[in-house]
Amino acid sequence: MRRILAPVLVVVLLSLSGCIWIDSYFLPPPEDTAQELYEAGMAAMDQKEYGDAQDYFSKLKDRFPFSPYSLKGELALGDAYFLDEDYLHALDSYKEFEALHPSNENIPYVFYQIANTDVSMFKTIDRRQENIKEGLEYLYRLVETYPKSKYVKPAKEMILKSRRILAEHEIFVADFFWRTDQFGPAWHRYQYVVENFSDIQDLRDYAMKRAEYSYFEYQKTLSEGERERVQGSWKLWLKQWL
């Protein structure tokens, strides 16, 4: 009996191992679950492997769009792009999250991160500051809509930083007109700073002094009628801002 069973057992074992080999070769490997993809993404974030995290969170979003883990993964995807300094994709991810989940509890954080991403894209003062302006819009929305959010305090600090960048940009342009003896445009630019950035005292005072000088140089180039008209508006403006 033993002599009969031994060969039979060997055949059965070989058959089973052959089936396992065939299955592993021809059948696709089992897919990760939503939880596994999310946890793998967060583990990659902890290791600062942001590219890998982006892959995990993107797969989670595509394969399990209705999973609770997908919701968290969408937000984490924006963070992965942001930390990787891929700011354009970070903006797209955060804005998409806002559009898809406008009432989500994380919206204050999303608003703050959109602004944070916009400010992080700042390079030099001489360029157009459209991202800074957009960031300010989201910061104002955050402060006005969610006044009790923990992100309000850092948002107000970022508002001051962003407004200074905009004011410095206007000063940069005004100073260019000043240096090139274009005193009319310089005067108007300095006036704009005084009127719109009075909360930034040092730049406001600088712009006021330059506006006065630009005005006196500018009016020398005008006809008598134009000079009288400009002087009238200038006096009214000084009364308002002095």
Side-chain angles (χ1 to χ4, degrees):
M1 181 63 70
R2 290 180 180 176
R3 292 179 180 177
I4 296 174
L5 289 177
V8 172
L9 183 59
V10 171
V11 171
V12 171
L13 290 175
L14 289 174
S15 299
L16 289 175
S17 62
C19 291
I20 294 172
W21 180 84
I22 292 173
D23 287 346
S24 64
Y25 186 84
F26 289 102
L27 296 179
E31 290 188 351
D32 295 320
T33 65
Q35 181 177 353
E36 288 171 337
L37 286 171
Y38 177 74
E39 291 176 350
M42 295 306 295
M45 292 281 279
D46 291 339
Q47 297 297 320
K48 297 184 179 181
E49 297 172 349
Y50 302 123
D52 290 341
Q54 294 159 23
D55 290 338
Y56 286 123
F57 294 137
S58 295
K59 290 178 181 178
L60 172 59
K61 178 182 174 183
D62 294 338
R63 296 178 185 176
F64 305 97
F66 303 109
S67 169
Y69 288 102
S70 182
L71 182 65
K72 295 190 290 186
E74 289 176 33
L75 189 57
L77 178 60
D79 292 340
Y81 283 129
F82 176 79
L83 293 172
D84 202 27
E85 298 184 4
D86 187 348
Y87 296 129
L88 291 177
H89 281 105
L91 280 178
D92 289 342
S93 294
Y94 289 133
K95 290 178 180 179
E96 182 178 9
F97 186 93
E98 178 201 358
L100 295 175
H101 317 288
S103 59
N104 186 271
E105 62 183 0
N106 291 302
I107 288 299
Y109 173 74
V110 171
F111 283 179
Y112 180 78
Q113 277 300 100
I114 291 175
N116 196 16
T117 305
D118 275 321
V119 173
S120 297
M121 295 175 71
F122 169 76
K123 293 183 179 179
T124 57
I125 206 66
D126 58 309
R127 299 188 178 190
R128 291 173 60 85
Q129 305 299 329
E130 298 306 316
N131 284 101
I132 299 297
K133 294 177 182 178
E134 179 187 77
L136 275 171
E137 292 177 5
Y138 278 92
L139 292 171
Y140 291 139
R141 288 175 63 188
L142 169 56
V143 172
E144 293 171 3
T145 309
Y146 304 96
K148 296 183 179 180
S149 170
K150 65 180 180 180
Y151 297 104
V152 166
K153 182 178 179 180
K156 289 181 177 179
E157 294 173 355
M158 194 177 296
I159 285 173
L160 293 177
K161 177 181 178 180
S162 299
R163 284 181 55 76
R164 174 168 284 274
I165 290 174
L166 292 183
E168 289 177 348
H169 172 72
E170 292 297 326
I171 292 288
F172 174 86
V173 176
D175 285 348
F176 169 78
F177 288 134
W178 167 289
R179 291 192 303 271
T180 55
D181 296 334
Q182 301 180 65
F183 295 109
W187 172 42
H188 290 296
R189 286 282 185 165
Y190 290 129
Q191 278 186 306
Y192 180 83
V193 173
V194 173
E195 293 171 0
N196 293 278
F197 299 97
S198 59
D199 55 315
I200 307 176
Q201 191 66 40
D202 58 326
L203 297 183
R204 186 258 189 193
D205 293 344
Y206 174 87
M208 175 66 81
K209 293 178 182 178
R210 286 294 181 102
E212 292 178 10
Y213 183 88
S214 298
Y215 162 73
F216 287 116
E217 291 298 320
Y218 172 55
Q219 58 91 30
K220 293 178 184 179
T221 67
L222 303 177
S223 66
E224 185 174 348
E226 290 174 327
R227 189 178 301 118
E228 291 177 356
R229 177 180 56 80
V230 170
Q231 285 176 345
S233 63
W234 171 247
K235 290 177 181 178
L236 289 174
W237 187 83
L238 282 178
K239 287 181 180 179
Q240 180 181 358
W241 293 103
L242 287 179

